[in-house]
Amino acid sequence: MSNQLLQRHGGLALLAAIIAAGPLFLDNGFHYNVAILAGLNAIVCIGLNLLIGHAGQISLGHAGFFALGAYASAILPERFGFHPLGALLTGALLVGLLAFAIARPILRLRGHYLAMATLGMGIIVSIVLDQKVDLTGGPDGMVVGDLTLFGQALRGNLAWYWLVGALLFVTTWMALNLVHSPVGRALKAVHGSELAAAAMGVDVFHYKVLVFVLSAVLAAIAGSLFAHYNGFVTPDEASFIHSIQLVTMVVLGGMASIAGSIVGAVALTLLPQLLADFHDYEMIVFGAILMGTMILLPTGVVPTLAARIRERLA
Amino acid sequence: MLSEFLQFLFSGLTVGAIYGLIGLGFAVIYNASHVINFAQGEFVMIGGMATVFLMAAGLPMPLAVVLAIAGAALVGWLLARIGIETARGAGVVGLIIITIGASILLRGLAQVVWDRNFHPLPPISGDAPIHVFGATLLPQSLWIGAALIAIMAALRFFFDHTRTGKAMQAAAIDPLAAQLMGIDIRRLVRLSFVLSAALGALAGVLVAPITMTYANVGVMLGLKGFAAAIVGGLGNPLGAIAGGLVVGIAEAMTAGYLSSAWKDVVAFVIILFVLLFLPNGLFGRAEVHRA
């Protein structure tokens, strides 16, 4: 038990150390940009991994939630006079309610049917954002104002780095707590065998809905922050390919591994930057990673490495 | 009034027949392996693009079409051999991700090997429209309808009257029992990928004169084909065709009477509606698990 405690807090301490040491290694705006985007992706992926890895429910539409959060932060302050922070919270709340409303019918589906339903939902969001030109600016996207905290506009890479870093830390801490709580154990049981879990008295459906809503809210918050940081949003944030990118990060890092989600998000945020000179080959590499990971390392990079290290030590 | 309605109906039936053909590919693979192949749309793209570039290289159209379909079939075989067989234990989510990876990989390859431009293909027999009650009908639409009927007849014959076809049916009903009867399931899975890749490529050749073809043409077509298969009931070939026609007509009517901007939404709203209220599709067997 104490060993387990050490593992949990050891991981958190390591994450805190890496985030704190980050600015020592980040030299310029470009580095900060990549680090901040990686952090935001990691927040989405931690939520998504709770859904895919822990609860065993696939979603091919999470970019839709991300985009709804982003557009809440773009539209509410601009057109309805919301405070940016109020817009972020309102967006998260609305996405949570939406996710709750659709989770009830959608999560009764399984496997391919669930994949199709979430995919359809994501595509509907992206088409609506594309077509409601008077509200969203349509395919051209719209400009997003600054995020203000305590009357101060949040500007500059370092400020954004600390904000995203802190939020990533909190998200990780919360996810770890969730996984090691009765909820987490219930989810593990659901993933193993739904029938067995239900027979043991686990309210399977309740937990699935809970995780679906939580992951949608995390995506929405990350979307809001992305919108403010980027200063601009387009309906592309809701695209099918963005949903797939998020799933790829989860799969590459390792299903049901929180550390894996962070590693996957960082790796796949970094990759397009490293491949910038080979832009034409980006999709090939991306597709090959997706296939290769699933075929060769079906449990993902982090769990595979962890198992190897444990073997060595034992 | 009537002519307008007929016009929308013709365009809906044409595009619906294409969705149905693509949906048929989903059904064939699903029956043999219970895999949903998200790279199905890329077979459609390969069919169209390979034909365009083979013709540009100087080949006559019939030969180019045959080679393009054979090429897609080879890609289908490779996908089954490398992607599916080596990851048999991957589970539903894993297999979905593998085929999505394959679809992105194939699109990326198409952009590099060929290009990112839009290409037209010549229609099979000219483009002088036929007038029916004031509406116009393109000859290509008739070809698409004829191809659909011919393929349905051929598949019916294949499934009901050949040993391999019957083996595929048996494997669809109960893979374990089929295997115990000496049926080589792995061979059937490969064959189903080859068959459905060829069907997809043919759809790609048929639709290219109407919509043009390009490296990403398969994304939406693949999703609509998947929609057709689900609306018709997964794994039901005839259902997939009917589902394709339903989706196609609904789209065309929305585009005609409301706004073309919303036509893609309609397809996905239908899917959600079918999934939630008719979870076995319009014609499917009861196999969706609802908790």
Side-chain angles (χ1 to χ4, degrees):
Chain A
M1 193 62 211
S2 72
N3 191 19
Q4 213 178 18
L5 268 173
L6 182 76
Q7 261 184 6
R8 269 164 73 180
H9 297 291
L12 267 181
L14 184 65
L15 177 67
I18 292 173
I19 293 174
L24 297 176
F25 300 96
L26 301 169
D27 288 337
N28 52 41
F30 173 69
H31 288 175
Y32 274 103
N33 184 29
V34 173
I36 290 164
L37 292 180
L40 289 173
N41 280 331
I43 292 169
V44 182
C45 287
I46 288 173
L48 189 58
N49 204 349
L50 288 174
L51 183 70
I52 301 181
H54 291 90
Q57 309 297 307
I58 195 166
S59 168
L60 298 179
H62 257 55
F65 297 129
F66 181 89
L68 285 176
Y71 271 92
S73 284
I75 294 170
L76 294 178
E78 164 84 18
R79 306 216 204 263
F80 299 95
F82 275 60
H83 184 277
L85 212 54
L88 182 146
L89 293 175
T90 311
L93 182 71
L94 290 178
V95 166
L97 287 174
L98 174 72
F100 181 71
I102 57 176
R104 304 196 65 79
I106 274 187
L107 288 177
R108 292 193 184 280
L109 303 166
R110 286 184 198 183
H112 306 121
Y113 296 89
L114 181 63
M116 188 69 216
T118 50
L119 188 163
M121 180 212 74
I123 288 180
I124 290 173
V125 169
S126 85
I127 296 176
V128 170
L129 293 177
D130 217 51
Q131 296 302 329
K132 296 294 277 176
V133 177
D134 47 332
L135 203 59
T136 65
D140 295 337
M142 67 186 288
V143 174
V144 188
D146 281 327
L147 177 65
T148 49
L149 291 173
F150 312 113
Q152 196 89 65
L154 195 68
R155 288 220 180 93
N157 281 318
L158 200 60
W160 271 102
Y161 177 83
W162 290 123
L163 176 70
V164 172
L167 204 65
L168 175 60
F169 182 80
V170 171
T171 309
T172 310
W173 174 69
M174 187 200 68
L176 281 171
N177 275 343
L178 188 80
V179 170
H180 294 281
S181 73
V183 177
R185 285 189 286 275
L187 286 176
K188 212 170 177 179
V190 171
H191 196 16
S193 161
E194 238 183 88
L195 201 60
M200 299 303 284
V202 175
D203 185 350
V204 172
F205 191 61
H206 171 76
Y207 288 115
K208 286 197 211 166
V209 172
L210 182 78
V211 175
F212 189 74
V213 171
L214 179 68
S215 67
V217 168
L218 280 174
I221 293 173
S224 282
L225 292 174
F226 169 80
H228 283 300
Y229 173 68
N230 201 36
F232 197 74
V233 286
T234 67
D236 279 352
E237 312 312 340
S239 65
F240 178 49
I241 194 81
H242 186 205
S243 286
I244 300 303
Q245 280 169 339
L246 295 172
V247 172
T248 313
M249 290 172 186
V250 170
V251 171
L252 176 70
M255 295 220 226
S257 159
I258 290 166
S261 293
I262 301 174
V263 170
V266 171
L268 285 181
T269 311
L270 206 58
L271 186 76
Q273 315 300 333
L274 297 178
L275 290 176
D277 291 342
F278 307 95
H279 183 74
D280 289 344
Y281 299 92
E282 194 186 319
M283 278 176 73
I284 300 179
V285 174
F286 203 67
I289 288 179
L290 209 49
M291 285 185 83
T293 318
M294 217 55 234
I295 294 172
L296 304 172
L297 307 166
T299 53
V301 172
V302 170
T304 308
L305 284 180
R308 292 261 166 85
I309 291 171
R310 236 174 280 136
E311 246 168 55
R312 281 279 164 78
L313 293 180
Chain B
M1 205 46 217
L2 175 70
S3 66
E4 204 182 54
F5 176 78
L6 269 180
Q7 191 66 63
F8 299 148
L9 187 65
F10 288 158
S11 97
L13 285 172
T14 307
V15 71
I18 294 293
Y19 296 161
L21 260 182
I22 301 168
L24 204 54
F26 277 102
V28 168
I29 289 184
Y30 185 80
N31 269 343
S33 62
H34 278 239
V35 170
I36 287 291
N37 175 28
F38 275 86
Q40 193 66 26
E42 276 53 52
F43 295 145
V44 179
M45 177 273 289
I46 292 173
M49 289 293 272
T51 306
V52 165
F53 279 84
L54 286 170
M55 281 174 72
L59 264 60
M61 185 162 178
L63 185 59
V65 170
V66 170
L67 285 179
I69 291 175
L74 177 67
V75 173
W77 188 86
L78 286 172
L79 176 58
R81 181 70 195 79
I82 299 169
I84 307 299
E85 270 174 35
T86 42
R88 221 29 271 210
V92 172
V93 173
L95 288 170
I96 288 177
I97 291 167
I98 287 175
T99 60
I100 289 177
S103 99
I104 296 174
L105 180 71
L106 289 172
R107 254 183 283 152
L109 282 171
Q111 288 181 0
V112 173
V113 176
W114 294 317
D115 60 22
R116 295 162 186 260
N117 301 329
F118 284 65
H119 301 278
L121 260 185
I124 295 174
S125 59
D127 43 15
I130 304 158
H131 294 274
V132 188
F133 295 113
T136 55
L137 180 61
L138 289 173
Q140 187 73 12
S141 298
L142 293 178
W143 280 107
I144 290 173
L148 188 66
I149 291 167
I151 285 168
M152 274 162 61
L155 279 183
R156 167 104 310 178
F157 178 81
F158 172 70
F159 281 123
D160 288 352
H161 298 286
T162 64
R163 271 182 79 87
T164 314
K166 284 187 207 163
M168 276 180 119
Q169 293 235 41
I173 294 165
D174 189 337
L176 190 63
Q179 207 153 14
L180 290 172
M181 294 297 138
I183 291 171
D184 183 354
I185 299 278
R186 288 210 301 189
R187 205 184 117 243
L188 288 185
V189 171
R190 284 180 212 164
L191 183 69
S192 74
F193 271 81
V194 167
L195 194 60
S196 101
L199 284 174
L202 179 65
V205 173
L206 288 170
V207 78
I210 297 175
T211 62
M212 309 251 262
T213 189
Y214 48 100
N216 288 336
V217 73
V219 181
M220 261 302 167
L221 284 176
L223 292 178
K224 301 284 177 63
F226 185 15
I230 284 203
V231 169
L234 256 187
N236 178 343
L238 275 181
I241 300 222
L245 294 177
V246 168
V247 173
I249 292 172
E251 256 186 44
M253 294 297 161
T254 314
Y257 289 112
L258 293 170
S259 143
S260 61
W262 294 102
K263 76 175 169 70
D264 287 332
V265 171
V266 173
F268 291 100
V269 170
I270 293 179
I271 297 168
L272 285 180
F273 181 85
V274 168
L275 282 176
L276 300 182
F277 299 109
L278 303 164
N280 303 311
L282 297 177
F283 316 96
R285 294 176 294 238
E287 68 154 320
V288 177
H289 297 283
R290 292 191 60 152

